[in-house]
Amino acid sequence: MASDNKPKAVDPAFTKSVVDAGADTVTLCFQCGTCTGSCPSGRVTAFRTRVMMRRVQLGFKDDVLPSDELWLCTTCASCDERCPRGVKITDIIMTLRNMAVREGYMAEAHKNTARSLMKTGHAIPLGDAFRKLRETLGLDGEPPTVLTDKEGLEEIKKIVKATGFDKLVG
Amino acid sequence: MAEYALFLGCIMPLRYPGIETATMEVAKALEMDMEVLEGTSCCPAPGVFRSFDRNTWLALGARNLALAEEKGTQIVTVCNGCFGSLWEVADLIEKDEKKKEYANSILKEIGKQYNGGVKVRQLAEILYTEIGLDAIAAKVTNKLDYMKAAVHYGCHYFKPDIVKKIDNRERPKTLDELLEVTGATSVDYRHKNMCCGAGGGVRSRAKEVAQAMTDQKLEAMKESGANCIVDICPFCHLQFDQGQSGLGTSFPVIHLSQLYVMAFGLDEAINGFEAHTVPVKF
């Protein structure tokens, strides 16, 4: 089974595409693991920030973009703040997630959140119980946001069309 | 328009509206000139929308900033998510001409423009640096000396701390001091500076992972002898308030604005505690 042990090919093109997208500090990582040691998500999952950075350096695109791990970061930025090499880790993860979404890797739950934003201008809906509670508190049932500002909501819809977000989410 | 414009966001007005009324009443009590910024949308949330497409996140954030610019006011947030997004969008546009050009090329489609310069603030930081602990202490009529609180800062309040310069990320103190001025005690606990677990789109995509992080914090709070949680972010608030059934804890979750309503002797009905999953009782 020697062929199974063949090392995976390094793909500099993927690394370059990440660097070109603005995540140039990924090349500075020297694998100390401070990020992994600082990661609250890594404490409870198999997500290893250091490994993610190494995979990008080696260009292992297929281990990165489709992975669930990529979406386990809470963006708390503890790793960024402690990285002795100034690697902007959260920013790199954002770049990778943007690339993953463009390649079609987007969870249904996230698509629904995105659709809510495009439809209402907010990430979550307003239910009857909360509308009533707002009134009990002396507030308008619907807050004075794009929920009541129809012109404002049209602006949101134009923006997501202009950036191509509507097509991206589908 | 007033000096400060309260940015509503999503979770506060749509899930914990009591934080909204509490914030306005506390601002009034502290003689802050504050109104609600109308016509805004989602900030847009940094964990989800920035993860999906940074251009859209930037453009929608710039629209919210443009609304404040038109009115010549500062933005005040009581949510670390809104604070994180709006602060970072403003900072990016300030520092990167290309980002500014892009944002304005999109805003042009809706007849708007953002020129820059809008200050984005977190209420806790304004209270600490501008209003001051002494002025807050002078308003305290109900000593909350029965409260032993586990304070939760959240992530986007002070990080990145080198540029935000609000507090020290490893040894923050602003929220502890803002709490203790009411007579309550801030209890030290393991994982105090750790994330609540909800951010980054983790709550919506992998709720059990978010919960596992929350459970670590709750376990540590239990060990510490705390009898409540005090926060400055409606999303962390939701994560703690709705995430306690598994461990069987019942820490009331109180936003700083709601805490001051209690300490200042204001009408507690405006805190809207009926929206809370864990009853707020001691």
Side-chain angles (χ1 to χ4, degrees), chain A residues 21 40-41 43-45 67-68 71-78 81-82 90-91 94-95 97-98 101-102 106-107 109-110 113-114 117 121-127 130 133-134 136-137 139 143-147 149 152 155-156 158-160 162-163 165 168, chain B residues 8-11 13-15 17-18 20-21 36 38-42 47-54 56 59-60 63 102 106-107 109-110 112 155-156 159-161 169-170 191 194-195 197 199-202 204-206 209 212-213 216 269-270 272 274-275:
Chain A
S41 188
R43 283 184 195 175
V44 297
T45 65
S67 75
D68 281 330
W71 297 90
L72 295 180
C73 162
T74 67
T75 71
C76 79
S78 298
E81 301 265 304
R82 292 174 181 163
T90 313
D91 207 49
M94 287 298 126
T95 300
R97 286 180 175 184
N98 275 219
V101 167
R102 282 199 296 275
M106 190 176 187
H110 282 168
T113 307
L117 177 78
H122 285 281
I124 51 169
L126 170 66
F130 292 103
L133 176 58
R134 290 184 57 83
T136 310
L137 292 168
L139 297 164
T145 63
V146 290
L147 280 182
D149 177 356
E155 293 179 5
I156 302 304
K158 278 184 193 163
I159 289 174
V160 296
T163 63
F165 192 61
L168 187 67
Chain B
L8 296 177
C10 298
I11 312 269
L14 308 180
R15 291 295 178 275
E20 186 178 332
T21 31
V36 167
E38 299 189 347
T40 56
S41 65
C42 176
V48 275
F49 303 121
R50 186 178 46 162
S51 294
F52 305 158
D53 182 47
R54 282 197 281 207
T56 305
L60 289 171
R63 178 185 171 275
Y102 177 78
I106 301 294
L107 292 184
E109 306 265 329
I110 58 163
K112 282 196 170 3
C155 302
H156 304 289
K159 286 186 271 194
D161 75 344
R169 67 172 192 263
E170 304 291 350
H191 314 319
M194 181 182 148
C195 174
V202 176
S204 59
R205 183 182 160 125
V209 174
M213 285 181 253
Q216 289 203 339
I270 64 164
E274 54 269 50

Side-chain angles (χ1 to χ4, degrees), chain B:
Chain B
M1 174 91 190
E3 181 181 3
Y4 300 111
L6 179 64
F7 183 84
L8 296 177
C10 298
I11 312 269
M12 174 179 75
L14 308 180
R15 291 295 178 275
Y16 294 101
I19 299 174
E20 186 178 332
T21 31
T23 300
M24 292 308 289
E25 286 305 310
V26 165
K28 202 193 287 176
L30 293 169
E31 293 168 19
M32 291 172 69
D33 181 23
M34 188 156 88
E35 286 174 21
V36 167
L37 184 62
E38 299 189 347
T40 56
S41 65
C42 176
C43 53
V48 275
F49 303 121
R50 186 178 46 162
S51 294
F52 305 158
D53 182 47
R54 282 197 281 207
N55 285 339
T56 305
W57 170 78
L58 184 84
L60 289 171
R63 178 185 171 275
N64 285 325
L65 292 170
L67 293 174
E69 186 183 32
E70 284 165 14
K71 294 198 157 43
T73 181
Q74 304 186 39
I75 286 182
V76 180
T77 68
V78 288
C79 169
N80 289 342
C82 301
F83 181 57
S85 266
L86 294 170
W87 190 96
E88 283 186 39
V89 168
D91 189 57
L92 276 172
I93 288 177
E94 216 66 53
K95 291 176 180 158
D96 187 338
E97 198 56 40
K98 276 192 187 144
K99 294 270 193 304
K100 187 175 177 176
E101 268 172 32
Y102 177 78
N104 279 319
S105 75
I106 301 294
L107 292 184
K108 208 175 160 196
E109 306 265 329
I110 58 163
K112 282 196 170 3
Q113 195 176 337
Y114 177 61
N115 301 299
V118 168
K119 280 190 182 163
V120 179
R121 318 281 303 269
Q122 221 291 3
L123 180 70
E125 171 258 326
I126 297 176
L127 293 176
Y128 194 80
T129 59
E130 282 183 22
I131 308 298
L133 295 174
D134 290 345
I136 297 167
K139 294 286 176 195
V140 174
T141 55
N142 282 346
K143 283 260 175 222
L144 306 178
D145 49 15
Y146 55 89
M147 271 191 204
K148 289 188 283 180
V151 303
H152 174 77
Y153 281 85
C155 302
H156 304 289
Y157 170 55
F158 50 67
K159 286 186 271 194
D161 75 344
I162 294 165
V163 276
K164 279 189 173 149
K165 294 187 171 56
I166 291 173
D167 210 331
N168 181 311
R169 67 172 192 263
E170 304 291 350
R171 278 181 295 281
K173 61 172 191 172
T174 49
L175 184 54
D176 295 82
E177 293 183 13
L178 287 166
L179 165 84
E180 293 202 321
V181 81
T182 66
T185 306
S186 173
V187 177
D188 208 11
Y189 65 101
R190 287 191 301 135
H191 314 319
K192 181 174 169 181
N193 299 339
M194 181 182 148
C195 174
C196 69
V202 176
R203 183 185 163 88
S204 59
R205 183 182 160 125
K207 204 169 179 188
E208 68 292 350
V209 174
Q211 186 62 50
M213 285 181 253
T214 311
D215 285 351
Q216 289 203 339
K217 290 211 66 151
L218 290 168
E219 283 283 6
M221 289 169 183
K222 222 159 79 176
E223 287 167 14
S224 75
N227 63 7
C228 64
I229 299 169
V230 170
D231 62 59
I232 49 174
C233 172
F235 197 33
C236 305
H237 195 91
L238 176 118
Q239 182 67 10
F240 285 120
D241 184 42
Q242 295 189 0
Q244 295 192 47
S245 57
L247 287 177
T249 53
S250 54
F251 297 116
V253 183
I254 305 167
H255 189 281
L256 183 65
S257 297
Q258 296 171 316
L259 182 88
Y260 283 173
V261 165
M262 298 165 86
F264 294 178
L266 303 171
D267 176 10
E268 284 191 28
I270 64 164
N271 274 337
F273 284 145
E274 54 269 50
H276 289 215
T277 302
V278 179
V280 181
K281 56 178 190 205
F282 289 88

Side-chain angles (χ1 to χ4, degrees), chain A residues 28-44:
Chain A
L28 301 174
C29 171
F30 61 11
Q31 294 286 293
C32 71
T34 304
C35 49
T36 294
S38 300
C39 181
S41 188
R43 283 184 195 175
V44 297

